[in-house]
């Protein structure tokens, strides 16, 4: 009471109202000051002070309660991903606000440790981060009236995949399996790796999935009918966000010559000590004739020609081998027998 009027001692009674008209006593509160309490609606307060027979009622004090902000959380679209590879741009951060007074202001901040945040220039409801090179937390604060709420969202950034090297170039015959293509153990990403081997034929501009088991670190190609290139794709992270393509490995393929023949065996005329050799084959390759056995000392006109002349045959069987090779392909050779009769002149008979 003003100027200390009254008996010098005072009692207090607090009342409140949610409409400013009807007031109810606040039970159990008889102190000079009213402790604060959580409110959900606008509330009016008044205090009644008594001293002896004197009573004084205070003015009414209104506490305005703004509605709480709801729906303030931020995130990314359902089809988007919160993990990216370094050097990429994440999805847009979005979040629809509700509650409060219906109008909102926004501030954004970012952090690389989720402790120390730096304010961003953005003041819009959504935010599109730029290229990121490290894991980053984004925080949006929504304000409406005296209410404010914030939400934090993390974008995980993985390092680039390293060490995706494969070996080795090789040359094989088309009837031989290639040696296994081997790849180094990669690094980077999230430490978990997925593989896909691809191939490209010499006549094709397109890369396609390699045949057989093509999702392991190493790859065993099947028999090949032509020169083929291979490469290994390595993936890591959510939605394969990190990827690496190896250098190309080339398997050069030689084609085996087919239908190797030295020609039919032949019986020559007596004293016919020269003859034509009649070798042939299909495909690409180089041929060579070789003397195997007999009594003569044959001389080839050109041993590297399929159809060539051989001289100085011996009497009886003259065995020749015809072989063909195409670089790494060695075809099974074929033999031919040229037989020269050995005439015997009976004793006592002389030629005329």
């Amino acid at each position: 009471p003003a100027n200390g009027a009254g008996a010098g001692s005072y009692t207090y009674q607090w009342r409140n109202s949610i409409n400013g008209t009807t007031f109810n006593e606040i039970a159990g509160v008889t102190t000079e000051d009213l402790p604060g309490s959580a409110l959900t609606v606008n509330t009016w307060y008044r205090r009644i002070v008594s001293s002896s027979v004197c009573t004084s009622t205070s003015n009414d004090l209104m506490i305005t309660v703004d509605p709480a902000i709801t729906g303030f959380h931020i995130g990314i679209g359902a089809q988007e991903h919160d993990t990216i590879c370094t050097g990429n741009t994440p999805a847009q951060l979005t979040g629809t606000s509700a509650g409060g007074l219906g109008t909102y202001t926004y501030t954004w901040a970012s952090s690389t440790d989720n402790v120390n945040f730096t304010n961003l220039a953005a003041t819009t409801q959504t935010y599109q981060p730029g290229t990121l090179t490290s894991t980053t937390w984004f925080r949006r604060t929504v304000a409406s009236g005296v209410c404010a709420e914030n939400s934090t969202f993390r974008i995980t950034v993985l390092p680039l995949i390293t060490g995706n090297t494969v070996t080795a170039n090789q040359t094989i015959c088309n009837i031989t399996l290639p040696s296994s293509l081997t790849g180094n153990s990669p690094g980077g990403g999230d430490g978990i790796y997925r593989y896909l081997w691809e191939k490209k034929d010499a006549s094709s501009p397109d890369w396609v999935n390699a045949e057989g088991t093509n999702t392991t670190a190493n790859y065993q190609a099947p028999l090949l009918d032509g020169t083929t290139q291979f490469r290994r794709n390595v993936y890591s992270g959510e939605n394969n966000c990190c990827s690496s393509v190896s250098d190309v490995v080339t398997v050069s393929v030689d084609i085996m010559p087919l239908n190797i023949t030295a020609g039919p065996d032949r019986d020559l005329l007596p004293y016919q000590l020269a003859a034509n050799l009649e070798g042939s084959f299909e495909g690409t390759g180089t041929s060579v004739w070789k003397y195997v056995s007999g009594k003569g000392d044959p001389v080839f006109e050109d041993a590297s020609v399929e159809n060539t002349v051989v001289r100085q045959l011996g009497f009886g069987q003259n065995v020749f081998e015809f072989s063909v090779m195409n670089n790494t392909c060695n075809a099974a050779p074929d033999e031919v027998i040229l037989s020269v009769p050995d005439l015997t002149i009976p004793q006592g008979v002389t030629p005329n």
Side-chain angles (χ1 to χ4, degrees):
N3 302 319
S9 61
Y10 311 99
T11 59
Y12 305 95
Q13 183 185 78
W14 287 88
R15 295 183 179 182
N16 62 8
S17 170
I18 58 174
N19 58 18
T21 302
T22 303
F23 284 81
N24 299 303
E25 182 178 341
I26 302 175
V29 181
T30 58
T31 55
E32 180 177 0
D33 299 319
L34 176 67
S37 60
L39 301 178
T40 58
V41 295
N42 293 343
T43 304
W44 288 258
Y45 293 93
R46 64 174 56 159
R47 185 181 70 174
I48 300 173
V49 181
S50 299
S51 181
S52 184
V53 296
C54 297
T55 299
S56 174
T57 300
S58 71
N59 60 299
D60 294 341
L61 175 67
M62 177 183 175
I63 303 297
T64 301
V65 178
D66 290 341
I69 298 173
T70 59
F72 55 87
H73 295 286
I74 58 174
I76 55 178
Q79 303 303 315
E80 304 294 344
H81 301 276
D82 61 3
T83 299
I84 64 172
C85 206
T86 185
N88 289 310
T89 300
Q92 185 182 65
L93 299 171
T94 63
T96 301
S97 302
L101 301 179
T103 58
Y104 312 96
T105 59
Y106 302 95
T107 56
W108 290 84
S110 67
S111 170
T112 56
D113 59 10
N114 201 27
V115 176
N116 301 296
F117 281 83
T118 300
N119 290 334
L120 302 171
T123 57
T124 53
Q125 178 178 324
T126 62
Y127 178 68
Q128 177 58 66
T131 299
L132 299 180
T133 57
S134 61
T135 295
T136 304
W137 286 260
F138 293 93
R139 184 179 67 194
R140 185 186 73 173
T141 301
V142 183
S144 182
V146 297
C147 297
E149 298 285 357
N150 64 65
S151 173
T152 303
F153 192 85
R154 185 180 75 176
I155 300 295
T156 300
V157 179
L158 302 177
L160 294 173
I161 294 173
T162 59
N164 182 21
T165 57
V166 296
T167 56
N169 294 333
Q170 55 191 280
T171 301
I172 61 167
C173 187
N174 65 310
I175 63 171
T176 304
L177 277 175
S179 298
S180 177
L181 304 179
T182 59
N184 288 356
S185 297
D190 64 2
I192 300 173
Y193 306 102
R194 293 166 290 279
Y195 304 96
L196 176 64
W197 287 86
E198 295 179 306
K199 72 162 192 174
K200 185 170 77 71
D201 297 332
S203 60
S204 173
D206 300 320
W207 287 93
V208 298
N209 292 349
E211 293 94 342
T213 303
N214 58 15
T215 57
T216 53
N218 303 321
Y219 175 66
Q220 177 59 62
L223 290 174
L224 302 174
D225 57 8
T227 296
T228 306
Q229 293 181 317
F230 295 91
R231 68 185 185 185
R232 185 180 73 170
N233 295 277
V234 180
Y235 304 100
S236 185
E238 180 184 343
N239 196 43
N240 293 335
C241 60
C242 291
S243 63
S244 171
V245 181
S246 71
D247 291 335
V248 170
V249 168
T250 300
V251 178
S252 300
V253 178
D254 299 321
I255 305 302
M256 176 67 76
L258 301 175
N259 298 324
I260 312 303
T261 177
D265 295 339
R266 285 178 287 157
D267 293 327
L268 304 180
L269 298 173
Y271 291 96
Q272 184 182 344
L273 302 180
N276 289 323
L277 294 171
E278 301 172 346
S280 67
F281 66 93
E282 296 177 6
T284 300
T286 57
S287 60
V288 62
W289 286 98
K290 183 175 72 172
Y291 179 54
V292 177
S293 64
K295 298 177 181 178
D297 186 18
V299 176
F300 297 100
E301 186 173 279
D302 187 344
S304 65
V305 176
E306 299 167 52
N307 295 290
T308 190
V309 175
V310 61
R311 297 180 175 85
Q312 298 180 205
L313 299 174
F315 292 106
Q317 291 188 337
N318 296 266
V319 182
F320 296 91
E321 180 185 270
F322 180 65
S323 60
V324 181
M325 66 179 298
N326 179 22
N327 197 12
T328 59
C329 295
N330 290 300
D334 190 38
E335 291 185 348
V336 63
I337 301 175
L338 302 181
S339 299
V340 180
D342 185 3
L343 293 180
T344 302
I345 300 175
Q347 290 183 359
V349 177
T350 60
N352 291 330

